[in-house]
Amino acid sequence: MYAFTYERPKSVEEAVNLLKKSGEAKLLAGGQTLLPAMKLRLASPGTIVDLSKVAGLSGVKRDGNDIVIGAMTKHVDVMNSAEVQKSIPALAHLVSVLGDPAVRNRGTIGGSLANNDPSADYPAAVLALNATVQTNKRKIAADDFFKGLFETALAGDEIIEAVRFPVPEKAGYEKFRNPASRFALVGVFVAKGKDGARVAVTGAGESGVFRVKEMEAALGKDFSAKAIEGIKVPAKGMIADLHGTAEYRAHLIGVLARRALAAAK
Amino acid sequence: MSATGIGAAVRRKEDQRFITGTGNYTSDISRPGELRAYFVRSPHAHATIKKVDTKAAEKMPGVAAVLTGADLANDKIGGLICGWAITSKDGTPMKMGAHPAIAADKVRCVGDAVAVVLAETLRQARDAAEAVEVDYGVLPSVVDPAKAAAKGAPQIHDVAPNNMIYDWHLGDKAATDAAFASAKHVTKLDIINNRLVPNAMEPRAAIAEYDQGNDALTLWNTSQNPHVARLVISAFVGMAPEHKLRVIAPDVGGGFGSKIFIYPEEVVALWAARRVKRPVKWVSDRSEAFLTDAHGRDHVTHAELAIDANNKITGLRVHTIANIGAYMSTFSSSVPTYLYATLLSGQYAIPAIYAEVDAVYTNTAPVDAYRGAGRPEATFVVERLVEVAARELGLDPAEFRRKNFVKSFPHQTPVIMTYDAGDYDASLTKAMDLIDYKNFGKRKAESEKHGKLRGIGFSTYIEACGIAPSQAVGSLGAGVGLWESAEVRVNPTGSIEILTGSHSHGQGHETTFAQLVSDRLGVPIETVSVVHGDTDKVQFGMGTYGSRSGAVGMSAIVKALDKIEAKAKKVAGYMMEASGDDIEFKDGKFTVKGTDKSVGWGDVTLNAYIAHKFTGGQLEPGLKEGAFYDPTNFTFPAGCHIAEVEIDPETGKTTIAKWVAVDDFGNIINPMIVEGQVHGGIAQGVGQAMLEGASYNSDGQLVTGSFMDYAMPRAADLPSFKVDTTVTPCPSNPLGIKGCGEAGAIASPAALINAITNAVGHENVPMPATPSTVWKAAQGGMKKAAE
Ligand SMILES: Cc1cc2nc3c(=O)[nH]c(=O)nc-3n(C[C@H](O)[C@H](O)[C@H](O)COP(=O)(O)OP(=O)(O)OC[C@H]3O[C@@H](n4cnc5c(N)ncnc54)[C@H](O)[C@@H]3O)c2cc1C
């Protein structure tokens, strides 16, 4: 780690000012991504703006037909939230297979989304559930938020405040773990909402999380595993590495989508 | 059997400090005024070093010195060596390239050290290391052992044309060719034994301190064999005479072979400490460990088995290319030769064997012994071949093995070894009972009902442990003898210190060695302590590896205890006015034969020191004896592992449903510790077979440089093991011990791959059998079934 200035603002406004003041500043949430990168000297922010003391950024609440999760809400608190377990059990399940207890007790939803790791779990839920990312500046629809590997629509001085998930009729998440990192080798989130069915895939795409429109069309008529049986996702554009070929990942999407559908609640 | 004697499951004495965080590891030690060392390492796999500019770094805060390969050469510090001479087929010696502790002219793998920064704090050292400017002339590199000797491949060491270190062979080629010529069936297999990163829990570390007044050096390091480290650093590196160099290996958190070797960083720490006259501390981080710890395995093999009309194996032919890496590590040459080819007979009576091994340099980290060292590679070759042969011939794999087992002992194999004792039928039968082999078909049908594939795989392994008779290894090229030493120091109050040349880094010697003493002298185990790992305390020793501490290390203790008992009897004789020959010793009591006159252990030990009852002329005071034990043969642990797997053909995910291990380790000192060794060994073997694999890309970058990409086995990857034993005592050592430290890692990869290939109906499943790989094989297998 290199030396850095540590700031702990009390409000979003103060945090934004700190970000603006120093071009080299980085927000710190749970630190589960940022701190390892700093320790390996892969990231070297001049200033760390710790969000832990900013009021109002964490917690889960129901707002009409939406579940709103504050950006600083820890994974473990989403997993254990009675509201999430009741309204979107697939989301509670997703968090239960994210990382390990240490990671779940520090990492946050805001940090995970801002980071947009192509193998992270949350992006699949946000995209499939057609959630809205609420920042200090605007509301960003899930379809506009993810911009490729580790890239998002966030501006340099933009802070995620909360994520708004419409409660689906039914949803399911199936993850196949990378044997080493235990991130998603492939993860598929399926959801049936008021605007129809959505299928989002993480871990597989060369440019990050993506939707499978062909499956969505079939599921719009019949939200069941059977409805997508014949649908094959092409291997083109899939990640190929030590842990799996592109063909394997493409194949897993079908398998996991069917399993997610079978388990959807 | 007493509660703390031989055969008792005594809880580990050392765990008190390990599980309360009060152990004393090298990195826990700090010396007054110490500097922290940080190495500047090559980002290139192969490059000339045109210039190393240290000026900017030297001016950085806290920096005491920045030293380079040129400084090392100027100070005439010698390079590292490989201590086992192997001779090629044509009689020429192996071609060992120079291995300076800091590269001066050329780097040969990513992570090669090019400079070291010494600073007040680690952070300052690291900051300054980034300011060292190295001008590299990047060269093409080669990482694949199968391509290293090809025409036009980059040349890594001038002394080794075509990167060929040796092309060695063992066995009778003509007899083997004849066996193949008359064979009824030949089974052929191409095998890659995947490269592994050891990943001991504790990364390597070294602290060096220079005592100016006495011109002496002390090194604390994470070593499995501090005396060998001292010998090599003194005699070959030329750092300091042996009596001016003390090496201490305190608590060491796992080694698995990777801490046998002498590494550049400890040499540099010693040299630098003397140069700057301040203690120097270096602690590897995990990233450095991935890059610079000696890796394991990495063989490319073609093997063939000849079988006659009676389903008897008549010949075995093996050609292996062994990747040695960028430099020859301390025992690297012996691993793919005498620790490998000598075990190719497995548990079978094979009349003719011929093995050829080409050892090559590549632009990768050095490769050396890793748990099992050569024997896992041999077992994998033999047990895969035998399994595939049985399948090709439509024979039950267990019965085919049984038919070919060695059945009488001693048995001379065609590849040097003389097996001394064993009962391979017994362990196979017991393992089959334990896994309920009879009903495997039912379980398979049940799995199929749920859309799952099920497979079962055997591995009837043998290993040569308790290494080793010094004369034998000397004749095979070893630069050292492989005996062990022990000293028993009895204090006046009767408590006992055992000094051993073995080194415990997880094996539990402080418990098992104390059990031996408690058993033998009838004293409470609490009164025995075991001292190891310090060249100033223990005079000499060969250390711990090759499952040798029980068979060799404890045998030395037995010899010393014999002498202690003889002397103590004499003392007791003087006390009771009887001849020493008339004294019987049992359960801690000395009795005059045929009388009720007796004295206890504590009385005798006190009298040995006060010496009031005898004059110095009659008997020397004191009670302290030492012994060196040199084994007369290797020991041959053997047994049978059976793995049963269930595979999800849609995802390729393999679940280990059952695992049975029946091992013959000879006599057992502590069954709990033995079981733990077996569990850990299986876990490591499962790691190799299903999860682990070090991978370099074509530019020589280590792709699996962290746990994000290098998959270590986790508890959830493993089933509950069924572990049992059969016993044929080892005839060549006084305790009848064979050794158990490596068996699990040796046996298990073949059992698991045999089970997976059985399930998917395809032999071509390489290690690690990741879900992606197994899925592909299962697809092929299903296609075949449908045709
Ligand atoms: C061992 C391990 C295993 C893991 N396994 C998984 C897994 O299986 N699945 C998975 O999805 N993830 C996994 N993770 C990642 C984990 O979920 C992280 O917690 C998450 O990616 C980042 O969240 P954080 O709160 O720790 O963010 P930090 O590390 O603090 O920050 C990450 C990035 O987000 C930015 N940021 C943080 N908060 C905000 C905000 N409110 N607005 C704008 N930008 C912000 C930061 O500036 C930084 O760039 C794992 C991590 C580890 C260490």
Side-chain angles (χ1 to χ4, degrees):
Chain A
M1 216 176 263
Y2 297 101
F4 56 85
T5 309
Y6 177 76
E7 302 280 2
R8 197 159 58 180
K10 294 262 163 45
S11 69
V12 171
E13 199 184 3
E14 209 186 315
V16 170
N17 286 336
L18 286 162
L19 285 179
K20 279 187 180 151
K21 209 170 75 190
S22 150
E24 301 266 294
K26 268 248 170 233
L27 297 170
L28 175 70
Q32 296 302 291
T33 296
L34 185 56
L35 295 186
M38 288 169 67
K39 281 187 185 167
L40 290 168
R41 297 193 157 192
L42 299 172
S44 50
T47 303
I48 283 291
V49 181
D50 181 352
L51 292 176
S52 62
K53 289 283 182 275
V54 174
L57 286 186
S58 64
V60 178
K61 63 170 193 273
R62 179 143 190 151
D63 180 18
N65 270 335
D66 295 341
I67 299 288
V68 182
I69 301 178
M72 286 294 284
T73 310
K74 287 174 183 152
H75 302 328
V76 67
D77 294 327
V78 175
M79 180 173 101
N80 292 334
S81 156
E83 193 54 64
V84 174
Q85 286 171 4
K86 190 179 88 196
S87 308
I88 322 178
L91 189 60
H93 165 68
L94 173 144
V95 186
S96 77
V97 293
L98 185 165
D100 53 43
V103 171
R104 290 195 292 270
N105 275 286
R106 296 293 311 170
T108 67
I109 186 169
S112 176
L113 294 178
N115 190 51
N116 191 20
D117 186 305
S119 304
D121 296 291
Y122 264 131
V126 168
L127 194 57
L129 290 166
N130 200 9
T132 307
V133 179
Q134 195 170 306
T135 74
N136 57 321
K137 299 186 168 181
R138 54 188 167 144
K139 293 191 169 96
I140 311 174
D143 285 314
D144 303 325
F145 183 81
F146 302 106
K147 297 281 184 198
L149 300 183
F150 300 101
E151 296 287 337
T152 67
L154 293 173
D157 59 350
E158 197 164 9
I159 297 177
I160 302 177
E161 292 182 341
V163 188
R164 181 174 286 268
F165 292 94
V167 174
E169 262 176 56
K170 253 185 163 186
Y173 181 63
E174 195 70 26
K175 173 180 186 177
F176 195 84
R177 286 191 171 112
N178 174 315
S181 71
R182 306 201 120 202
F183 275 70
L185 190 71
V186 178
V188 181
F189 203 106
V190 297
K192 184 181 180 193
K194 65 175 188 328
D195 309 319
R198 288 170 70 109
V199 178
V201 177
T202 187
E206 274 180 331
S207 27
V209 64
F210 66 94
R211 288 168 61 188
V212 187
K213 297 274 168 69
E214 201 186 343
M215 286 185 183
E216 292 179 358
L219 294 173
K221 293 173 211 122
D222 172 14
F223 194 75
S224 76
K226 212 164 177 313
I228 58 163
E229 243 160 34
I231 299 175
K232 284 214 157 49
V233 178
K236 197 164 168 284
M238 297 298 143
I239 298 172
D241 61 15
L242 273 181
H243 308 290
T245 57
E247 291 71 27
Y248 177 61
R249 281 187 166 86
H251 161 80
L252 274 187
I253 293 171
V255 175
L256 300 178
R258 290 194 295 278
R259 291 183 185 181
L261 284 160
K265 279 190 258 194
Chain B
M1 179 175 84
S2 83
T4 58
I6 290 175
V10 179
R11 288 215 184 164
R12 302 201 332 163
K13 292 173 69 168
E14 47 271 76
D15 283 346
Q16 175 64 28
R17 67 177 191 279
F18 292 153
I19 63 181
T20 55
T22 49
N24 187 37
Y25 296 88
T26 301
S27 63
D28 293 327
I29 296 166
S30 286
R31 303 301 300 166
E34 78 188 6
L35 293 165
R36 296 298 299 257
Y38 195 85
F39 284 85
V40 178
R41 297 190 181 278
S42 170
H44 304 294
H46 199 192
T48 55
I49 301 171
K50 293 190 198 155
K51 191 172 174 222
V52 182
D53 186 346
T54 60
K55 274 194 229 66
E58 277 159 13
K59 292 194 196 99
M60 303 265 294
V63 173
V66 184
L67 304 174
T68 65
D71 298 324
L72 190 79
N74 279 340
D75 284 359
K76 307 223 161 13
I77 301 298
L80 296 159
I81 52 113
C82 173
W84 195 308
I86 298 292
T87 307
S88 284
K89 286 173 191 162
D90 65 2
T92 56
M94 66 183 189
K95 302 191 172 63
M96 177 162 51
H99 185 191
I102 302 179
D105 309 323
K106 192 171 155 180
V107 289
R108 295 180 172 87
C109 61
V110 170
D112 222 351
V114 286
V116 64
V117 179
L118 310 175
E120 299 297 332
T121 69
L122 178 59
R123 214 182 74 211
Q124 288 170 332
R126 202 170 170 184
D127 286 345
E130 285 175 14
V132 173
E133 276 178 41
V134 187
D135 189 4
Y136 293 103
V138 179
L139 300 167
S141 57
V142 60
V143 298
D144 180 350
K147 293 182 184 150
K151 247 213 183 107
Q155 286 295 296
I156 298 168
H157 289 273
D158 292 343
V159 297
N162 300 318
N163 300 318
M164 188 66 86
I165 298 167
Y166 53 74
D167 62 330
W168 170 91
H169 64 164
L170 183 67
D172 187 334
K173 182 172 190 306
T176 309
D177 286 346
F180 276 87
S182 62
K184 169 91 184 309
H185 181 85
V186 174
T187 293
K188 299 179 181 182
L189 218 50
D190 286 305
I191 288 170
I192 291 181
N193 204 288
N194 46 327
R195 184 182 180 108
L196 304 174
V197 182
N199 277 317
M201 187 93 79
E202 178 207 23
R204 291 188 293 118
I207 306 180
E209 184 166 40
Y210 179 58
D211 172 351
Q212 235 179 300
N214 292 306
D215 189 26
L217 284 158
T218 301
L219 172 71
W220 288 262
N221 68 345
T222 48
S223 176
Q224 299 179 214
N225 35 235
H227 292 88
V228 178
R230 183 180 65 163
L231 176 63
V232 170
I233 294 172
S234 179
F236 294 94
V237 178
M239 186 69 64
E242 264 182 297
H243 68 294
K244 294 285 190 184
L245 175 60
R246 178 181 184 186
V247 179
I248 305 170
D251 286 335
V252 174
F256 310 111
S258 71
K259 291 172 182 167
I260 298 172
F261 323 122
I262 322 308
Y263 284 94
E265 293 85 358
E266 48 213 30
V267 168
V268 170
L270 284 164
W271 164 65
R274 185 167 57 198
R275 230 180 116 115
V276 301
K277 302 195 169 54
R278 285 176 68 178
V280 169
K281 178 173 182 172
W282 170 77
V283 180
S284 170
D285 61 31
R286 188 58 69 181
S287 306
E288 273 180 304
F290 268 99
L291 287 177
T292 66
D293 288 359
H295 293 180
R297 321 279 192 255
D298 210 348
H299 285 191
V300 179
T301 294
H302 177 77
E304 302 183 354
L305 195 67
I307 299 150
D308 71 11
N310 299 317
N311 298 327
K312 281 278 207 183
I313 301 170
T314 54
L316 171 64
R317 194 148 60 189
V318 176
H319 179 263
T320 292
I321 303 170
N323 191 350
I324 297 292
Y327 300 99
M328 295 192 75
S329 173
T330 317
F331 288 110
S332 56
S333 57
S334 64
V335 177
T337 50
Y338 291 111
L339 294 178
Y340 167 67
T342 53
L343 271 304
L344 285 171
S345 199
Q347 295 189 354
Y348 312 104
I350 305 179
I353 299 177
Y354 181 63
E356 293 173 286
V357 178
D358 301 341
V360 296
Y361 280 120
T362 61
N363 296 111
T364 63
V367 180
D368 206 326
Y370 171 64
R371 202 173 191 171
R375 291 150 292 167
E377 295 92 317
T379 299
F380 194 74
V381 168
V382 175
E383 288 305 296
R384 283 289 294 131
L385 265 179
V386 167
E387 186 87 19
V388 173
R391 290 173 189 168
E392 286 175 352
L393 293 167
L395 302 170
D396 180 279
E399 292 321 307
F400 178 61
R401 284 179 167 82
R402 212 187 281 283
K403 188 175 178 107
N404 284 286
F405 276 163
V406 170
K407 293 189 182 79
S408 65
F409 297 89
H411 172 83
Q412 177 63 51
T413 73
V415 278
I416 299 178
M417 293 298 179
T418 310
Y419 299 168
D420 52 4
D423 185 346
Y424 308 144
D425 264 336
S427 47
L428 175 62
T429 302
K430 195 167 190 177
M432 288 169 74
D433 287 347
L434 280 175
I435 206 156
D436 188 18
Y437 185 64
K438 279 197 313 290
N439 289 311
F440 171 70
K442 278 189 202 150
R443 296 193 294 276
K444 188 175 169 76
E446 192 59 32
S447 294
E448 280 166 0
K449 260 194 240 159
H450 299 102
K452 299 279 167 60
L453 307 172
R454 203 175 184 96
I456 193 161
F458 292 79
S459 176
T460 50
Y461 74 95
I462 189 162
E463 48 174 335
C465 293
I467 53 175
S470 299
Q471 192 187 37
V473 295
S475 74
L476 303 178
V480 290
L482 288 169
W483 46 265
E484 198 45 89
S485 78
E487 190 176 311
V488 178
R489 294 182 181 171
V490 181
N491 298 318
T493 56
S495 63
I496 298 157
E497 280 148 43
I498 302 291
L499 283 74
T500 171
S502 298
H503 185 276
S504 187
H505 33 278
Q507 292 86 348
H509 296 171
E510 291 170 40
T511 307
T512 49
F513 289 15
Q515 279 179 257
L516 165 62
V517 177
S518 167
D519 196 274
R520 176 72 192 266
L521 300 180
V523 297
I525 197 165
E526 298 75 31
T527 65
V528 184
S529 63
V530 176
V531 177
H532 63 95
D534 183 341
T535 60
D536 263 13
K537 292 183 181 167
V538 177
Q539 184 249 334
F540 207 99
M542 294 311 298
T544 287
Y545 39 82
S547 305
R548 67 192 304 276
S549 299
V552 189
M554 288 178 89
S555 295
I557 299 173
V558 169
K559 267 185 86 176
L561 287 171
D562 289 344
K563 296 183 190 175
I564 288 284
E565 188 181 320
K567 170 94 183 264
K569 277 180 175 166
K570 283 189 192 154
V571 176
Y574 280 99
M575 289 167 69
M576 295 184 283
E577 292 170 347
S579 153
D581 296 339
D582 290 337
I583 305 291
E584 263 174 354
F585 178 58
K586 207 174 161 246
D587 298 332
K589 233 163 75 178
F590 296 84
T591 311
V592 182
K593 268 183 212 159
T595 74
D596 58 0
K597 262 169 87 177
S598 72
V599 287
W601 172 253
D603 293 336
V604 170
T605 61
L606 187 64
N607 270 278
Y609 285 91
I610 58 175
H612 292 168
K613 292 280 199 288
F614 46 93
T615 66
Q618 292 166 321
L619 188 64
E620 282 180 27
L623 195 52
K624 181 187 93 167
E625 299 288 350
F628 286 74
Y629 172 79
D630 197 354
T632 54
N633 192 359
F634 292 83
T635 66
F636 296 96
C640 175
H641 285 223
I642 309 179
E644 195 170 313
V645 299
E646 193 176 67
I647 292 171
D648 177 350
E650 282 199 304
T651 61
K653 187 177 162 61
T654 301
T655 305
I656 302 172
K658 281 171 168 242
W659 196 290
V660 164
V662 177
D663 299 293
D664 180 355
F665 297 137
N667 293 333
I668 284 172
I669 305 293
N670 183 324
M672 180 197 71
I673 287 181
V674 167
E675 204 170 308
Q677 289 286 327
V678 173
H679 284 204
I682 297 172
Q684 253 165 319
V686 167
Q688 164 158 34
M690 270 176 52
L691 297 153
E692 300 181 48
S695 172
Y696 286 89
N697 69 12
S698 55
D699 294 334
Q701 298 294 331
L702 182 63
V703 180
T704 50
S706 80
F707 292 131
M708 291 298 278
D709 284 303
Y710 189 89
M712 291 292 282
R714 293 169 162 90
D717 297 317
L718 302 163
S720 205
F721 309 120
K722 256 193 201 158
V723 175
D724 210 330
T725 55
T726 55
V727 180
T728 60
C730 174
S732 72
N733 63 57
L735 294 167
I737 293 178
K738 294 186 181 181
C740 68
E742 297 160 292
I746 289 170
S748 53
L752 192 52
I753 296 299
N754 284 337
I756 292 173
T757 51
N758 178 235
V760 300
H762 243 238
E763 296 304 339
N764 198 9
V765 179
M767 298 193 287
T770 59
S772 182
T773 301
V774 173
W775 169 73
K776 210 173 145 204
Q779 295 309 105
M782 288 194 299
K783 244 188 246 142
K784 227 171 59 180
E787 272 160 15

